[in-house]
Amino acid sequence: LAAMEKAGLLARVHGGALPLSTARFYRPLKERMQDQLSQKQAIARAAVEYVREGDFISVSAGSTALAFAKELRKHIRKLTVVTYSLDVFETLRNLPEYTVLLTGGKYYEKERAFKGPAAAAFLSGVYVQKAFLFPSVLSLEAGITCRTEELVSRLTPMILCCDQVFVLADSSKFQKNALYQVTPLRQD
């Protein structure tokens, strides 16, 4: 695998390898903040239309999630938000009619988010009307996939513990796969 990776034929990931055509290399959040910024802002503006005053929602993490939190702040006066993202929490925590619940768990600096069993357990113990997921990659064939099992353990309870799921991603994330499947895009 090392020789094939060096030759540019594949990307090694924990537990195996992916063809370069579908592999998504990891870049820390700080490096991704300005990527496709206008798309992220447009996605955030469109998504906020699905949030109603007084809703209970969950929000995953990432640069598009942060853009979404900034739009929520501008347009929604009263809301309950559950998140594992420190950036989402920091953006919304001082609003007087917002209740913002941060999962806790082991802090992961590169993503400015919490992970591990404590975060997963917290997310499994709450039920919201709407979950807003901002995946790293998605494809029609594999659905939402991610590069770590820990991310699966955070996204899966968000999907299971809500009435509606909204999956939001800019064009750079389409038709790419990572090693671990979170959920297919279609529920048969």
Side-chain angles (χ1 to χ4, degrees):
L1 288 179
M4 292 176 77
E5 181 179 46
K6 190 172 182 177
L9 300 172
L10 55 80
R12 288 192 305 168
V13 295
H14 180 72
L18 293 171
L20 283 180
S21 61
T22 60
R24 180 87 173 152
F25 293 101
Y26 174 72
R27 291 174 45 229
L29 178 63
K30 185 177 179 181
E31 293 177 21
R32 300 188 319 263
M33 290 303 289
Q34 298 303 313
D35 294 352
Q36 288 83 28
L37 185 58
S38 62
Q39 284 185 37
K40 293 173 185 179
Q41 291 167 337
I43 290 165
R45 283 190 300 274
V48 87
E49 297 294 323
Y50 293 93
V51 180
R52 302 288 171 254
E53 294 290 338
D55 273 355
F56 290 24
I57 68 170
S58 60
V59 178
S60 68
S63 52
T64 310
L66 178 56
F68 179 61
K70 289 176 181 177
E71 288 298 317
L72 288 171
R73 185 179 178 93
K74 288 187 225 173
H75 300 286
I76 305 296
R77 185 182 52 77
K78 183 177 182 178
L79 195 63
T80 298
V81 180
V82 177
T83 189
Y84 57 87
S85 165
L86 186 58
D87 288 330
V88 170
F89 174 79
E90 288 291 332
T91 300
L92 303 175
R93 70 182 175 91
N94 288 326
L95 297 171
E97 294 195 58
Y98 272 55
T99 300
V100 187
L101 305 169
L102 184 61
T103 64
K106 183 178 179 184
Y107 183 63
Y108 183 46
E109 178 63 36
K110 289 182 180 180
E111 284 300 307
R112 296 189 44 78
F114 291 88
K115 63 181 185 175
F122 186 91
L123 291 165
S124 295
V126 295
Y127 195 90
V128 297
Q129 295 156 310
K130 300 163 187 164
F132 291 86
L133 308 182
F134 302 89
S136 300
V137 293
L138 66 143
S139 72
L140 293 174
E141 298 80 22
I144 298 172
T145 58
C146 58
R147 60 181 172 67
T148 68
E149 290 178 279
E150 284 185 328
L151 189 52
V152 174
S153 74
R154 286 177 285 175
L155 294 176
T156 300
M158 289 177 72
I159 292 167
L160 295 174
C161 296
C162 71
D163 295 329
Q164 290 181 290
V165 177
F166 296 84
V167 179
L168 305 145
D170 67 69
S171 63
S172 71
K173 298 171 182 167
F174 294 148
Q175 289 309 102
K176 296 187 173 75
N177 300 315
L179 185 60
Y180 298 99
Q181 185 180 49
V182 177
T183 187
L185 292 180
R186 295 183 185 171
Q187 299 290 329
D188 295 327

